[in-house]
Amino acid sequence: MSDNPSTIHGGEGAGSGFAWNDSAELHKCEDGGGLFHRFKVLRRGTVAEMIEFVMDLPEEKREDYAIQKAGDRTFKYAEIVTLYRRSDFPKGDA
């Protein structure tokens, strides 16, 4: 796991690069009770693998998922897209 918390845009104070190989969990968000109500862990892997998985889903299903980076934070769909579009995202390497 990386030493610094993640920032999507690699802002000041972040370590060099994004920790794409850190552990992560994919969650399905269900209706009712707020963001963490009835979160379900569907799979585990690296951050890059989870992002690839979400982006491979049909577009209308992608917003139903969030990625929890181990020891760090939760990325919802808009942030997942931003990370996927970064020039340093390891597409195909996940």
Side-chain angles (χ1 to χ4, degrees):
M1 184 166 70
S2 63
D3 293 333
N4 298 314
S6 301
T7 62
I8 296 176
H9 302 289
E12 190 173 322
S16 59
F18 189 86
W20 300 111
N21 291 321
D22 278 3
S23 297
E25 297 176 336
L26 181 69
H27 294 267
K28 174 138 178 149
C29 307
E30 292 193 0
D31 292 337
L35 176 63
F36 294 107
H37 179 72
R38 297 181 65 202
F39 243 7
K40 292 185 177 180
V41 176
L42 299 177
R43 60 177 41 207
R44 290 179 173 87
T46 68
V47 174
E49 290 169 340
M50 298 303 98
I51 291 171
E52 285 274 4
F53 182 85
V54 171
M55 297 307 292
D56 285 342
L57 292 170
E59 193 168 348
E60 65 274 5
K61 302 272 186 192
R62 294 176 187 169
E63 290 189 27
D64 295 340
Y65 297 87
I67 297 170
Q68 173 67 45
K69 187 169 177 261
D72 199 340
R73 56 171 294 202
T74 300
F75 297 96
K76 295 199 282 185
Y77 179 62
E79 296 171 315
I80 292 169
V81 171
T82 299
L83 288 168
Y84 183 75
R85 291 179 178 164
R86 282 180 49 152
S87 63
D88 62 337
F89 181 75
K91 290 182 181 163
D93 296 339

